[in-house]
Amino acid sequence: MTVKQHVRRLLWPTVFAVFSFGLVILLLQGDFIGPISGNEILLPAATALAYFATAWLVSRLVALALDQATARRRPYPRLLKDLIAALLFLFAFAATVALFMGQGAVGALAGSGLILAMLGFAIRNVVADTLSGIALGVEGPFRIGDWIDIDGLARGKVIEIGWRTTRVLTRDSAYLILPNSQIARQRITNYSAPKSQYRAQVTILLDHSIPIDVARKVMLDAIKGAKLIQQDPPPDVRVLSYEEGGITYGLRYWLSRFDRDIDCRDEVYSLIDNALREIGSIAPRRRVEIVGADARFLDDVSC
């Protein structure tokens, strides 16, 4: 954002604040001359104007500071800026009520408690979504631009974090709008934090006839030619299980972007498939015994 845009954002809040504080100072000094001079309502009104002007100006300054920090970090959700602005204006409103009503403000607020309780029950789902949105904005499990996996709900890139909903764009370009209360109850995996780099894994089941050292070397040599995965840190192979049906290997590799996950997995499987076919073995072989009344047949059937 340019300096001109910064000035434009702060111009009217600053003018409003200067005007309101100047008016309050004139009224306090008794220098205001006019037909309404000395009106007891004018000073409280000017003071209330100053409260709201201060809230407006401070909210713009905080938003500007967050935007400046975004240039060095991931962008902050818009919800955080809205929450700060709402709190500042709430304080301004409470100060204004206390200014005009004095001690009667407490009684007025207490008398409206029943109405507020009934209203809260009627809009409890909206309140739950909003409070969950505030919690997500404050805790920051993800930010705009992060690739996340919301268990059971969605996988994709966070486009916007609102008061009630969060918008996610999937890898298939599907636009999902999810209530924040549902997101807050699910397990969230963030593939972009703390860094965009993360490790993925594919499992390969091979026959016992292939020694583990040979299988490991064949697979690692095969993916050296991969163009989508990272070679630093290097991929590795681990034995996950050793069972009668075969040996299960876990091939682990690093990715720089979550949206390449499917393409990288496809490339890895293709390279390993070609390498294993060259050595003449793809999958474990299962021995099936068929017992009849008069004969026994033995046959090898590939899985």
Side-chain angles (χ1 to χ4, degrees):
M1 187 173 291
T2 63
V3 177
K4 185 177 180 180
Q5 291 175 321
H6 292 329
V7 173
R8 188 180 304 165
R9 291 178 63 182
L10 297 177
L11 177 60
W12 286 111
T14 303
V15 171
F16 190 29
V18 171
F19 171 76
S20 58
F21 278 100
L23 183 59
V24 170
I25 292 173
L26 289 175
L27 290 171
L28 290 175
Q29 293 178 350
D31 296 335
F32 188 84
I33 301 174
I36 56 175
S37 178
N39 194 328
E40 295 181 356
I41 299 179
L42 187 57
L43 182 57
T47 306
L49 192 66
Y51 290 157
F52 284 99
T54 302
W56 189 15
L57 179 59
V58 173
S59 65
R60 287 293 178 88
L61 290 173
V62 172
L64 184 61
L66 293 178
D67 290 339
Q68 291 295 319
T70 298
R72 299 183 296 273
R73 303 174 57 184
R74 292 177 296 157
Y76 287 94
R78 193 187 69 180
L79 175 63
L80 180 60
K81 304 174 188 178
D82 293 341
L83 176 61
I84 294 174
L87 290 176
L88 290 171
F89 279 99
L90 180 62
F91 290 149
F93 175 76
T96 301
V97 171
L99 180 66
F100 279 98
M101 301 184 65
Q103 297 296 329
V106 178
L109 292 176
S112 61
L114 180 60
I115 298 177
L116 292 176
M118 296 175 61
L119 181 62
F121 180 78
I123 59 173
R124 60 188 183 279
N125 292 332
V126 177
V127 173
D129 291 337
T130 303
L131 293 178
S132 299
I134 294 174
L136 291 174
V138 173
E139 295 179 2
F142 53 81
R143 294 181 179 176
I144 296 174
D146 286 355
W147 286 91
I148 63 173
D149 181 4
I150 305 173
D151 191 24
L153 290 179
R155 247 189 182 192
K157 185 177 183 180
V158 179
I159 301 299
E160 183 179 347
I161 304 173
W163 284 100
R164 293 188 57 248
T165 60
T166 295
R167 290 164 171 79
V168 176
L169 184 66
T170 68
R171 288 180 294 194
D172 298 327
S173 297
Y175 192 64
L176 301 180
I177 303 176
L178 305 173
N180 288 329
S181 59
Q182 292 186 15
I183 297 176
R185 291 194 296 266
Q186 301 297 327
R187 182 180 63 185
I188 301 173
T189 303
N190 191 335
Y191 292 97
S192 300
K195 297 180 180 180
S196 59
Q197 183 188 50
Y198 75 100
R199 185 164 61 184
Q201 175 177 293
V202 297
T203 57
I204 307 292
L205 179 63
L206 298 179
D207 190 67
H208 288 281
S209 61
I210 306 177
I212 292 178
D213 292 340
V214 174
R216 180 181 285 114
K217 185 177 184 303
V218 168
M219 287 187 283
L220 290 178
D221 290 343
I223 62 175
K224 284 182 179 179
K227 299 179 180 178
L228 297 180
I229 68 173
Q230 291 184 334
Q231 299 297 333
D232 185 22
D236 58 37
V237 177
R238 295 290 185 269
V239 176
L240 301 182
S241 65
Y242 194 97
E243 300 174 350
E244 181 180 358
I247 305 174
T248 303
Y249 299 88
L251 175 59
R252 305 184 300 178
Y253 54 91
W254 291 86
L255 303 179
S256 59
R257 290 170 47 184
F258 177 75
D259 55 323
R260 292 180 176 177
D261 178 57
I262 296 178
D263 295 332
C264 290
R265 187 165 60 248
D266 176 76
E267 181 185 37
V268 168
Y269 275 132
S270 299
L271 292 173
I272 292 177
D273 178 77
N274 294 334
L276 291 175
R277 288 180 185 276
E278 290 180 359
I279 65 173
S281 179
I282 294 299
R285 302 177 65 83
R286 180 179 301 165
R287 185 175 180 84
V288 181
E289 182 177 327
I290 304 176
V291 180
D294 300 320
R296 174 174 296 180
F297 302 90
L298 298 180
D299 191 14
D300 287 338
V301 181
S302 298
C303 292

